[in-house]
Amino acid sequence: MLKNIFKSLTFATLLFAGSAVFSQTPMETPPPPLASPTLTIPEVRETVLPNGLTVAVIEKRGLPLVTASLLIKSGAADEENRSAGLADMTATLLLKGTSFRTATQIAEQIEFLGASISSGAGWDSSSISINTMKSNLGRALAIMSDVTLRPSFPEKEIQLLKKQELDSFNVSLKQPGALLSYVSSIYSFGEHLSGGTPETVKSISREGVVKFHRENYRPENSVLIFTGDISDEQAFRYAKLFFGGWEGAPDSKEKNEVRSPTVSQRIDIPLIRRILVIDLPDSGQAAVGYTKRIDEGRTICSSEFGNCKTSHIYDAATVLNSVLGGGYSSRLNQEIRLKRGLSYGAGSGFSWRSSASNFRASAQTKNESAGEVAELLKIELEKLGKSGVSQTELVPRKAVVTGSFGRSLQTNDGLASQVSNLYLYNIAPGELNSYMNNINAISEDAVKEIAMNRITGGDIIIVGDSKLFMEDLQKRFSNQTIEVIKASSLDLNSNTLRRESKIKILQ
């Protein structure tokens, strides 16, 4: 027995010693990323039906699957502030009943076909999509056409959805991360909440939903995109059969404005313009964000080149985001999570509009370290503007962008989404074939220019239990004015965010 114990101890000792030796071995430098693969996206074939509906087809053989996605160029931007959430609710209710099918029948018939159907709304657009076997495409399109053209918007479904939304608010309004998102939309981006507020959701009526659908779900305001195992002849025939009778509105108007390119120029302003704290007592964590509205969006439209093209800041901002907060190896995640263990994850992102974009870098952390995380966000943003980024770092971060883009094109859904974005902003679909080259051509100077000129002058917003971090935050930002609003006094329907006029300012 002693012999067996000795053997076990000897093995454990050797194992520990071996582990120590291996742990001391210096890590080899990872190999450089491979060159981006060359992808050629099939030609987008297009026709316009007599009712004004644009139909686009991208044939992609290999699997007998088809995606049909209907883009409606109206979303939350087309609703009034007092009815915030209307676009999202309208899109959701499309699947809750038509003149010929109940919500249950829609779900059962789609399931019987082995297909899927979804609908939703964003800031600039709404959509309805189906994924199905090629052999079932006709029957799936019949359902898609029905929910788009003939939704009945049953009152009981509206009331049920409103109850679900209000229940969701009861939870989200107590969550630091959700509150950070809500507050930044109003405080930094100057937008109402696309999902609405409890007050606006309560006020939405069936008449309002019907009106929004009638005015915005129009063929001349829409694009039907087919991707997958389908020819253009088949797609055009299906489109005419199921959507050819869709009648447009007599008072339709062109929504896309013509804009001239923005001239880039150096703006000498401090990185942080304002600091806002939303005091949420007894919150388990704090959410910390840096937010900035940028007055240049996804596209530039000009009569000089006929249509619209991708904004010159879009590609550079995409690469900057990959460096700063776009993934596990990005700077923010390295500094905040991996080096200091202050968060489970930190990141950043741009939300693109036609004529503007919203930038946010954020992390969740324990309340006591909220000030430290806010300072780290500031430091990393300043470093990008002052020191820029080296080619050694830039090359793999570009590879992350191009790799993600390439993967998105491997599915019918992903390909349809990419094409939808271009149609939404009137960009020629052929630009997809130049995207990877455009990303790889971005220079260190282009990234530095975005950091210096576009994302400076933003806001630090912290949502959490202020008594646990306020003293430290004041020390770290001693030259800044800190504004505090109690969560109990927060009004998400007001541009000032306050139910009362009393404002607490800490110098």
Side-chain angles (χ1 to χ4, degrees):
M1 180 176 178
L2 290 174
K3 186 176 181 181
N4 289 335
I5 293 175
F6 177 77
K7 284 183 177 180
S8 299
L9 289 172
T10 302
F11 176 75
T13 302
L14 290 173
L15 182 61
F16 176 80
S19 299
V21 171
F22 289 132
S23 66
Q24 295 172 9
T25 303
M27 184 180 294
E28 295 182 4
T29 302
L34 297 175
S36 299
T38 301
L39 293 177
T40 301
I41 299 166
E43 179 185 0
V44 179
R45 298 188 179 275
E46 179 187 301
T47 192
V48 179
L49 300 185
N51 61 2
L53 175 66
T54 298
V55 183
V57 186
I58 306 94
E59 189 173 351
K60 188 171 178 285
R61 301 293 182 177
L63 293 173
L65 301 173
V66 179
T67 291
S69 181
L70 182 68
L71 166 72
I72 296 95
K73 297 181 181 181
S74 296
D78 298 275
E79 64 195 15
E80 297 181 4
N81 290 0
R82 63 184 179 184
S83 58
L86 179 59
D88 183 64
M89 185 170 288
T90 301
T92 302
L93 287 167
L94 293 177
L95 306 185
K96 301 304 180 180
T98 74
S99 301
F100 302 104
R101 295 174 172 89
T102 64
T104 300
Q105 288 173 330
I106 292 170
E108 289 177 344
Q109 290 174 20
I110 285 290
E111 183 180 13
F112 178 78
L113 296 175
S116 64
I117 188 169
S118 61
S119 62
W123 186 257
D124 286 322
S125 65
S126 303
S127 64
I128 309 102
S129 296
I130 57 168
N131 294 282
T132 181
M133 294 285 291
K134 179 181 179 179
S135 57
N136 292 329
L137 179 59
R139 286 177 287 180
L141 281 171
I143 299 172
M144 181 182 181
S145 172
D146 194 26
V147 302
T148 304
L149 277 59
R150 293 172 290 276
S152 56
F153 301 121
E155 184 64 39
K156 67 175 183 179
E157 294 289 351
I158 293 175
Q159 295 306 317
L160 176 59
L161 181 58
K162 289 170 70 169
K163 182 179 184 304
Q164 292 170 342
E165 293 292 324
L166 293 173
D167 288 344
S168 178
F169 277 121
N170 286 335
V171 176
S172 63
L173 290 174
K174 299 173 185 176
Q175 302 298 318
L179 269 180
L180 173 61
S181 177
Y182 297 157
V183 169
S184 61
S185 291
I186 300 166
Y187 187 73
S188 300
F189 306 148
E191 298 176 348
H192 65 262
L193 306 188
S194 60
T197 68
E199 293 79 10
T200 63
V201 167
K202 286 178 184 177
S203 71
I204 292 174
S205 65
R206 182 180 183 278
E207 290 74 21
V209 173
V210 171
K211 183 174 184 289
F212 187 87
H213 178 269
R214 181 178 66 249
E215 293 180 350
N216 294 283
Y217 284 66
R218 310 187 312 263
E220 72 279 6
N221 191 41
S222 306
V223 182
L224 179 60
I225 301 168
F226 290 91
T227 56
D229 189 9
I230 185 170
S231 67
D232 52 344
E233 293 88 357
Q234 292 171 318
F236 297 155
R237 187 168 63 249
Y238 274 128
K240 186 175 181 180
L241 175 63
F242 292 107
F243 292 92
W246 189 5
E247 295 182 359
D251 59 343
S252 63
K253 56 183 181 295
E254 181 63 37
K255 292 176 52 179
N256 297 295
E257 59 179 327
V258 175
R259 295 178 288 110
S260 299
T262 300
V263 179
S264 173
Q265 48 184 304
R266 180 73 174 97
I267 305 172
D268 292 311
I269 57 175
L271 175 68
I272 298 174
R273 184 167 59 112
R274 301 176 295 182
I275 298 180
L276 173 66
V277 170
I278 304 299
D279 182 21
L280 187 65
D282 302 320
S283 61
Q285 287 188 320
V288 184
Y290 174 86
T291 52
K292 172 66 192 299
R293 175 81 163 185
I294 301 171
D295 293 326
E296 186 165 345
R298 178 69 171 82
T299 56
I300 294 176
C301 302
S302 173
S303 56
E304 295 178 9
F305 44 80
N307 206 328
C308 300
K309 65 179 182 180
T310 297
S311 163
H312 71 280
I313 76 163
Y314 177 77
D315 294 333
T318 300
V319 174
L320 174 143
N321 189 67
S322 180
V323 172
L324 179 66
Y328 188 80
S329 299
S330 64
R331 289 187 180 186
L332 290 179
N333 202 60
Q334 289 279 339
E335 291 297 324
I336 296 174
R337 175 182 176 172
L338 300 180
K339 290 185 180 180
R340 294 173 174 81
L342 296 175
S343 175
Y344 284 115
S348 62
F350 289 85
S351 296
W352 295 95
R353 312 290 192 240
S354 59
S355 57
S357 55
N358 298 335
F359 172 75
R360 188 174 88 178
S362 62
Q364 288 202 181
T365 186
K366 59 185 179 181
N367 282 290
E368 292 80 358
S369 56
E372 182 180 0
V373 170
E375 187 176 41
L376 288 171
L377 289 177
K378 176 187 176 183
I379 290 171
E380 290 306 314
L381 288 162
E382 286 178 334
K383 282 166 59 177
L384 265 181
K386 292 178 180 178
S387 305
V389 55
S390 68
Q391 274 294 325
T392 303
E393 183 180 15
L394 197 59
V395 170
R397 300 317 298 171
K398 287 180 182 178
V400 171
V401 175
T402 56
S404 176
F405 175 76
R407 288 192 300 274
S408 73
L409 302 180
Q410 300 306 308
T411 65
N412 291 337
D413 263 346
L415 182 55
S417 177
Q418 293 286 355
V419 174
S420 290
N421 283 334
L422 297 183
Y423 270 104
L424 176 60
Y425 300 119
N426 288 337
I427 301 174
E431 277 204 21
L432 284 179
N433 279 314
S434 60
Y435 179 76
M436 286 189 170
N437 288 335
N438 293 341
I439 290 295
N440 287 323
I442 296 299
S443 65
E444 304 101 303
D445 288 342
V447 173
K448 189 174 181 180
E449 192 276 334
I450 298 294
M452 291 173 63
N453 297 348
R454 305 293 178 171
I455 60 175
T456 54
D459 306 316
I460 290 286
I461 301 174
I462 304 176
V463 181
D465 193 340
S466 66
K467 68 178 180 291
L468 299 177
F469 62 77
M470 186 59 71
E471 183 178 351
D472 180 56
L473 181 68
Q474 288 177 289
K475 290 179 181 178
R476 294 177 186 273
F477 295 88
S478 58
N479 62 337
Q480 297 270 170
T481 298
I482 301 174
E483 184 177 340
V484 182
I485 301 176
K486 291 187 175 296
S488 58
S489 301
L490 194 64
D491 185 357
L492 296 176
N493 300 293
S494 169
N495 291 333
T496 66
L497 291 170
R498 301 168 189 82
R499 296 187 189 280
E500 303 173 1
S501 59
K502 295 179 180 179
I503 306 170
K504 184 179 180 182
I505 301 291
L506 298 179
Q507 297 290 352

